[in-house]
Amino acid sequence: MRGEKGEFWDPEVELLSAEEIRGLQLRRLKETLRRCARSPFYRRWFREAGFDPESLNSLGGLRALPPMDKDTLRSVEPWEFLTVPREEIVRMHSSSGTTGRATVIFHTWKDIQAWTELGARCLYMTGVRRSDVFQNMMGYGLFTGGLGFHYAAERLGAMVIPSGSGNSRRQIYLMREFGTTVVHVIPSYALYLLDVFSDMGLDPRKDTRLRIALIGAEPHTEDLRRRLEEAYGLRAFNSYGLSEMSGPGVAFECPFQDGMHVWEDAFIMEVLDPDTLEPVPDGEEGELVFTTLHREGMPLLRYRTRDLACAYPGRCRCGRWHRRISRIKGRSDDMFIVKGVNVFPMQVEKVLLQSMGVGTNYQILLEMVGNREEMRVRVEVTDELWRGDVRELKSLQKRITAALRDEILVTPVVELVEPGSLPRSEGKAVRVVDMRKDLGGE
Ligand code: ADP
Ligand code: ZN
């Protein structure tokens, strides 16, 4: 594939060798540090860490600076991060506030352009072209999912339908009426939409022209991806980003779907042990930590994402050296502890989606029954199963319980429920409801 005209959006950057990437990163890091010295926050941060930005001459030198996290961002007036006069700022975004107070990121015009280019590169890599009709089913507004790829798809020349999130029947109407070929969507919502197709008596494989889905913004399993690919008759690519690193476009799958390429010309990625903050070897799970390399208004250095993943070494079959990361297992704070065992919601999802008869939604409830902790997994089943023989339901319930016990080493109470009966979110799915905390009497 390498070098063939038209295969890459930005071949010069996408095909850099590992060594060239490191060279570019060092140059850009030095520029970024010079820029940071203009920001009140960073001047203080450098001083407190005894870090001299001028003396850095290797990528490893960055490790002399302590990593920062969401709390660091929250504890400072966001303007203090700026390395440009306020008039240079053209837009702000914030995180969706999944975990606590939202954090703000300010962008200059150049920042927006750079982000747009990255997004276009991601879309192009998966095969999106000018002739495509791109339906953007992500929320518009402060959330970065909507606007980020809106501009990226336009930059690429596709026709954008800015449908935003929610309003499911209208989404399907738009898809059919305007011949949507590409959707950008939160995976749990794409799964739910299958129910709506079915309620409308439609089959997305036959009744739409969809060929590509870009799915991201929340953790999901390989099984979920395959299920969407199968049901919609398209290829679904994993898309990773976070508002602190501008938004979607940080890491993306190529046609080989074998890990997501982190755009290393734009970010330095570290994978650290969350406790010791030491780097972990390739292939081992750790927390992703990013440094922006071409952010102008509000660069972030060594930002701790809390997202857990591992890095894949070496060159990808697509020809790119930009390092790949595994699927995100979840955030460190997605993990819950029940009966003394650590569990990630994605472990539950994996088991559920491997079971025939499971529908399009599930929920994990943690509660106290007397003094005992209980984990209850509510699972919507397919319409067919729900209306069918109760013995089949009983047997599915038993199989799921056993499979979950094997996977997570805790025996949950599994409750099979009617399709459409569990609460839905139009944004990121809320998978875990922890009611144990309510008993604390706060
Ligand atoms: P918030 O942190 O409030 O949710 P963001 O909208 O910035 O706000 O969300 C970014 C987070 O979403 C990431 O840090 C990660 O936890 C999650 N995320 C984004 N893309 C993916 C993906 N492809 N797989 C798993 N998790 C993802
Ligand atoms: Zn690749």
Side-chain angles (χ1 to χ4, degrees):
M1 195 189 270
R2 184 179 176 135
E4 265 179 48
K5 196 166 174 281
E7 287 292 348
F8 298 88
W9 175 254
D10 194 350
E12 264 178 43
V13 180
E14 289 175 61
L15 293 174
L16 289 174
S17 70
E19 204 186 309
E20 288 166 333
I21 291 174
R22 303 294 156 246
L24 177 64
Q25 285 187 320
L26 183 58
R27 281 201 305 283
R28 291 200 168 156
L29 176 60
K30 286 181 174 175
E31 278 165 34
T32 301
L33 291 177
R34 230 168 281 137
R35 177 171 280 290
C36 284
R38 291 182 219 146
S39 121
F41 166 79
Y42 282 112
R43 277 204 299 271
R44 224 170 38 237
W45 191 250
F46 292 167
R47 201 175 48 241
E48 283 166 13
F51 178 77
D52 172 16
E54 287 299 326
S55 69
L56 176 131
N57 49 27
S58 72
L59 289 172
L62 189 58
R63 297 197 45 223
L65 202 62
M68 64 167 86
D69 58 14
K70 247 191 170 62
D71 291 335
T72 322
L73 284 185
R74 285 186 185 127
S75 67
V76 180
E77 238 251 85
W79 300 106
E80 287 198 34
F81 275 89
L82 291 195
T83 67
V84 294
R86 282 192 193 202
E87 311 79 87
E88 296 287 314
I89 299 303
V90 301
R91 197 190 305 163
M92 66 167 272
H93 272 291
S94 80
S95 73
S96 36
T98 313
T99 55
R101 202 179 112 194
T103 48
V104 174
I105 298 292
F106 294 117
H107 298 272
T108 65
W109 187 82
K110 259 175 92 178
D111 290 337
I112 298 288
Q113 302 316 309
W115 179 25
T116 301
E117 279 298 316
L118 271 193
R121 191 195 289 178
C122 295
L123 299 179
Y124 198 84
M125 176 165 70
T126 65
V128 181
R129 295 293 180 267
R130 292 172 60 81
S131 49
D132 277 303
V133 178
F134 179 92
Q135 189 162 328
N136 196 9
M137 296 157 70
M138 290 282 181
Y140 277 70
L142 285 170
F143 176 53
T144 55
L147 284 170
F149 272 13
H150 175 100
Y151 288 109
E154 284 186 354
R155 168 78 183 87
L156 194 145
M159 181 180 105
V160 178
I161 305 180
S163 58
S165 63
N167 217 336
S168 308
R169 283 177 177 254
R170 184 151 151 270
Q171 299 279 7
I172 293 174
Y173 161 78
L174 289 168
M175 275 177 206
R176 286 164 47 78
E177 184 74 9
F178 300 101
T180 302
T181 52
V182 181
V183 284
H184 180 209
V185 62
I186 293 181
S188 55
Y189 186 72
L191 193 61
Y192 160 65
L193 209 58
L194 288 171
D195 287 349
V196 185
F197 269 104
S198 144
D199 288 348
M200 293 169 77
L202 296 171
D203 174 357
R205 295 185 75 102
K206 295 199 200 91
D207 300 315
T208 72
R209 296 170 61 188
L210 295 177
R211 59 185 203 93
I212 292 176
L214 312 161
I215 55 173
E218 66 182 7
H220 56 284
T221 54
E222 185 65 29
D223 300 282
L224 178 53
R225 181 240 293 275
R226 293 299 167 210
R227 180 132 172 205
L228 293 176
E229 290 193 328
E230 184 73 6
Y232 282 95
L234 46 67
R235 292 196 80 200
F237 295 94
N238 196 357
S239 154
Y240 171 74
L242 59 159
S243 62
E244 292 84 353
M245 296 293 126
S246 297
V250 177
F252 225 83
E253 277 182 335
C254 71
F256 289 93
Q257 294 181 319
D258 185 16
M260 295 182 276
H261 288 282
V262 174
W263 296 122
E264 293 188 289
D265 56 309
F267 305 99
I268 293 176
M269 175 182 68
E270 299 171 79
V271 188
L272 304 183
D273 178 315
D275 297 323
T276 63
L277 297 180
E278 289 298 317
V280 303
D282 282 345
E284 253 178 53
E285 189 180 279
E287 176 176 349
L288 303 179
V289 173
F290 290 105
T291 295
T292 59
L293 287 177
H294 59 28
R295 182 84 77 56
E296 217 185 35
M298 190 171 162
L300 290 185
L301 306 177
R302 304 199 78 205
Y303 182 74
R304 292 184 64 170
T305 62
R306 301 193 233 179
D307 292 327
L308 301 174
C310 56
Y312 298 158
R315 186 179 183 187
C316 178
R317 282 175 286 163
C318 70
R320 294 175 182 87
W321 282 98
H322 292 260
R323 270 191 306 163
R324 284 165 295 156
I325 50 170
S326 65
R327 199 168 272 294
I328 311 283
K329 179 175 175 189
R331 302 184 207 229
S332 44
D333 38 12
D334 282 343
M335 191 193 79
F336 56 87
I337 302 177
V338 64
K339 297 180 181 171
V341 177
N342 298 349
V343 182
F344 275 92
M346 287 307 104
Q347 294 176 277
V348 175
E349 178 172 302
K350 184 173 135 213
V351 167
L352 296 180
L353 292 192
Q354 282 172 359
S355 315
M356 291 290 287
V358 164
T360 59
N361 200 3
Y362 67 91
Q363 190 182 46
I364 301 166
L365 285 163
L366 304 172
E367 49 197 7
M368 293 302 289
V369 179
N371 290 326
R372 212 162 32 81
E373 283 182 306
E374 195 158 270
M375 173 177 168
R376 183 178 292 273
V377 182
R378 291 195 166 139
V379 191
E380 287 185 10
V381 295
T382 58
D383 227 15
E384 210 184 348
L385 192 70
W386 186 252
R387 288 159 203 256
D389 190 339
V390 261
R391 276 171 306 185
E392 300 245 349
L393 273 176
K394 204 81 210 135
S395 123
L396 177 65
Q397 188 218 21
K398 275 199 183 135
R399 268 180 284 132
I400 292 179
T401 310
L404 279 173
R405 188 187 52 227
D406 289 347
E407 172 72 31
I408 60 179
L409 310 176
V410 169
T411 309
V413 176
V414 174
E415 214 179 293
L416 301 183
V417 302
E418 189 175 354
S421 63
L422 293 178
R424 296 268 174 198
S425 142
E426 281 184 359
K428 305 183 185 214
V430 180
R431 294 305 191 191
V432 183
V433 181
D434 193 343
M435 302 197 297
R436 298 172 301 184
K437 292 170 190 153
D438 296 343
L439 297 176
E442 273 171 40

